[in-house]
């Protein structure tokens, strides 16, 4: 396993870092307070090619490999977790699922606009009564001639009110995972409703929505992948998604560390910068080691993906460790700021609020542990 970034990765990292410093960080607090990033950021992400990594150029993508995707998400996470999340979902979960499972027609219909940032996609799996237990989802798709009629409710859907296309997971057969299919649903379809969810602890710049489906009609050509294979598509997307979330966790933790290091050299107490106190250095050292460990776990997954090897358990390990690291690190960094960490004059309180969701979505920490435990023991704790 080779952890060296090559020239192309380094160039992407430097370009992304400079772009984030100019286009994201200066506006991040205002977006957080306004509960919305500037929607124009989506077009800018597209212009930079950041919504097309790992998508072939013939569909409007910008190429690059899985490690490039991790490098990008770390830099975006360092800038603003809401912006990182828009990319994680639209590119990581939606465009890549279309790339892997879509028909030629579906790829040509959606990928160029998604890659260009002319729109975003959303990934609608979670329901009000079904979160971790996703294989028991209740949203139904019923056959009606050559069409399907989708009915149900989805909750906490990132990009939900901005997206022009939603990957919707719905039950087309019997109970359990094998009865689920996936559909590419245009969000302007009659019967498709969406309501913004307000009052989030963090990721306030990101649009999160409840989606309702009242007999939403889609043709059979909107089905993504084979009938009954929807759960496999969801889990395949989430396995790689967890790697991306882990990379984003590294970014937000790094942002908190950078801010804490700078503050510690400027803030003077007892006649000396607080950086000169060993207990403060201990906090910074602990965060730095945590970050490097998390990054290596995320990059190990990228390495396995690129070599075509199994990576699901390693993705759970990376997501578990990196998300807990992000919460731990941002919380510790806040300590360095004393009372100033508790208000949003400095970015560190936002980093902590943004980090908190990372142990919850794309599989909670408990779910990651059960997946790792299943791989270790062969015993499935979910049944
Ligand atoms: C900001 C935000 C954005 C999101 N974006 C999306 C999105 O774009 N698309 C999407 O589909 N979903 C999205 N989600 C939903 C997210 O993936 C779910 O919230 C998550 O899967 C957990 O489901 P739940 O909230 O229903 O919690 P529950 O599943 O009800 O879990 C509650 C608690 O019980 C624990 N628990 C559950 N089952 C077990 C078990 N077997 N063993 C041990 N502990 C268990 C959990 O770990 C957790 O601690 C988002 C959520 C948020 C907050």
């Amino acid at each position: 396993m080779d952890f060296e970034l090559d020239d192309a990765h380094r160039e992407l990292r430097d370009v992304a870092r400079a772009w984030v410093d100019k286009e994201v960080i200066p506006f991040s607090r205002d977006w957080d307070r306004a509960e919305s990033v500037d929607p124009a950021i989506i077009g800018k992400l597209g212009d930079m090619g950041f919504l097309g990594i790992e998508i072939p150029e013939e569909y409007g993508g910008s190429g690059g490999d899985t490690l490039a995707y991790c490098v990008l998400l770390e830099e975006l996470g360092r800038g603003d977790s809401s912006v990182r999340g828009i990319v994680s979902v639209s590119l990581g979960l939606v465009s890549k699922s279309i790339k892997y499972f879509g028909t030629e027609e579906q790829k040509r219909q959606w990928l160029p606009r998604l890659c260009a940032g002319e729109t975003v996609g959303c990934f609608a799996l979670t329901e009000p009564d079904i979160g971790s237990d996703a294989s028991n989802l209740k949203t139904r798709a019923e056959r009606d001639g050559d069409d399907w009629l989708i009915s149900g409710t989805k909750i906490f859907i990132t990009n939900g009110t901005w997206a022009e296309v939603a990957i919707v997971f719905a039950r087309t057969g019997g109970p359990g995972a094998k009865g689920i299919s996936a559909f590419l649903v245009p969000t302007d379809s009659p019967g498709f409703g969406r309501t913004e969810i307000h009052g989030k602890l963090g990721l306030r710049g990101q649009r999160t929505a409840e989606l309702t489906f009242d007999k939403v009609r889609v043709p059979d050509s909107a089905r993504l992948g084979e009938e009954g294979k929807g759960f496999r598509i969801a889990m395949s997307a989430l396995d790689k998604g967890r790697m991306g979330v882990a990379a984003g966790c590294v970014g937000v933790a790094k942002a908190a560390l950078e801010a804490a290091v700078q503050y510690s050299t400027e803030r003077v107490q007892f006649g000396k910068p607080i950086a000169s106190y060993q207990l403060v250095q201990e906090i910074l050292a602990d965060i730095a080691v945590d970050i490097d460990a998390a990054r290596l776990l995320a990059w190990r997954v990228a390495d396995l993906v690129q070599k075509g090897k199994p990576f699901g358990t390693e993705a759970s390990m990376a997501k578990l460790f990196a998300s807990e690291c992000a919460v731990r690190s941002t919380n510790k960094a806040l300590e360095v700021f004393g009372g100033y960490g508790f208000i949003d004059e400095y970015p560190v309180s936002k980093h902590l609020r943004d980090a908190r969701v990372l142990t919850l979505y794309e599989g909670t920490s408990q779910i990651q542990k059960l997946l790792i435990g299943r791989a270790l023991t062969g015993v499935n704790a979910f049944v």
Side-chain angles (χ1 to χ4, degrees):
M1 181 173 172
D2 179 9
F3 287 123
E4 265 305 291
L5 292 182
D6 65 19
D7 287 347
H9 294 128
R10 270 196 295 273
E11 187 185 341
L12 173 66
R13 181 195 61 196
D14 295 346
V15 166
R17 192 170 296 176
W19 183 83
V20 158
D21 285 342
K22 181 165 172 271
E23 300 283 354
V24 175
I25 290 176
F27 311 102
S28 193
R29 185 177 65 182
D30 289 344
W31 292 340
D32 183 61
R33 288 180 174 175
E35 278 197 73
S36 179
V37 301
D38 179 355
I41 202 73
I42 295 167
K44 292 181 183 177
L45 286 162
D47 291 344
M48 293 301 293
F50 294 161
L51 286 166
I53 303 270
E54 286 196 275
I55 303 294
E57 288 174 19
E58 59 178 308
Y59 303 116
S62 34
D65 59 11
T66 309
L67 184 55
Y69 180 68
C70 287
V71 167
L72 174 68
L73 287 206
E74 179 177 328
E75 294 308 322
L76 296 179
R78 176 181 156 272
D80 188 305
S81 292
S82 288
V83 175
R84 193 275 307 156
I86 290 168
V87 176
S88 285
V89 171
S90 193
L91 169 59
L93 298 183
V94 177
S95 292
K96 287 191 195 169
S97 294
I98 296 172
K99 170 184 139 178
Y100 290 121
F101 300 100
T103 61
E104 188 59 27
E105 188 189 345
Q106 289 168 340
K107 290 179 198 174
R108 299 221 173 269
Q109 181 180 6
W110 294 113
L111 290 180
R113 283 173 51 67
L114 289 168
C115 292
E118 289 168 21
T119 186
V120 286
C122 68
F123 184 87
L125 179 65
T126 305
E127 301 181 354
D129 295 335
I130 298 291
S132 303
D133 188 14
S135 66
N136 280 317
L137 61 79
K138 294 174 179 169
T139 296
R140 287 209 67 88
E142 307 280 357
R143 280 262 188 203
D144 186 44
D146 290 338
D147 296 340
W148 295 89
L149 294 177
I150 302 175
S151 298
T153 305
K154 300 287 181 178
I155 193 95
F156 299 141
I157 306 305
T158 303
N159 295 341
T161 49
W162 275 335
E164 280 185 21
V165 61
I167 298 186
V168 179
F169 297 91
R171 189 159 301 287
T172 51
K178 289 185 179 151
I180 296 171
S181 301
F183 297 89
L184 287 164
V185 182
T187 55
D188 60 0
S189 305
F192 192 117
R194 41 190 178 174
T195 311
E196 188 80 34
I197 296 172
H198 290 285
K200 297 196 299 269
L201 176 68
L203 293 189
R204 289 189 190 159
Q206 201 174 83
R207 296 295 175 93
T208 309
E210 177 176 274
L211 307 182
T212 53
F213 304 84
D214 181 10
K215 294 187 177 161
V216 173
R217 181 179 293 278
V218 290
D220 192 46
S221 59
R223 183 166 36 77
L224 182 66
E226 289 172 43
E227 198 176 328
K229 293 285 165 57
F231 193 71
R232 198 168 69 82
I233 293 172
M235 293 305 112
S236 162
L238 289 173
D239 274 350
K240 285 201 189 115
R242 285 167 187 157
M243 173 198 67
V245 169
C249 294
V250 174
V252 70
K254 198 167 77 174
L257 177 62
E258 286 174 3
V261 167
Q262 186 182 341
Y263 187 82
S264 73
T265 59
E266 293 166 355
R267 177 71 172 171
V268 173
Q269 289 294 289
F270 302 98
K272 288 193 289 190
I274 59 170
S276 59
Y277 300 116
Q278 291 168 355
L279 293 179
V280 172
Q281 289 197 10
E282 181 190 46
I283 292 175
L284 300 175
D286 283 346
I287 299 173
V289 175
D290 235 2
I291 288 174
D292 278 7
R295 182 187 292 112
L296 291 173
L297 285 172
W299 287 9
R300 176 174 69 165
V301 182
D303 188 58
L304 291 169
V305 172
Q306 283 170 196
K307 288 178 176 152
K309 293 186 175 172
F311 61 89
T313 305
E314 289 79 3
S316 286
M317 289 179 175
K319 200 274 180 178
L320 171 63
F321 185 85
S323 60
E324 296 288 347
C325 156
V327 175
R328 213 165 37 230
S329 299
T330 52
N331 194 31
K332 283 182 179 170
L334 193 146
E335 197 72 24
V336 173
F337 283 79
Y340 291 95
F342 200 65
I343 54 175
D344 71 356
E345 180 182 343
Y346 292 96
V348 71
S349 62
K350 176 178 178 301
H351 295 321
L352 173 60
R353 288 188 288 103
D354 285 348
R356 191 60 195 85
V357 77
L358 296 164
T359 69
L360 302 175
Y361 66 14
E362 300 214 19
T364 64
S365 285
Q366 290 74 27
I367 294 303
Q368 306 309 330
K369 287 178 186 173
L370 295 185
L371 293 170
I372 297 163
R374 184 175 68 185
L376 289 171
T377 63
V379 180
N380 188 355
F382 295 113
V383 289

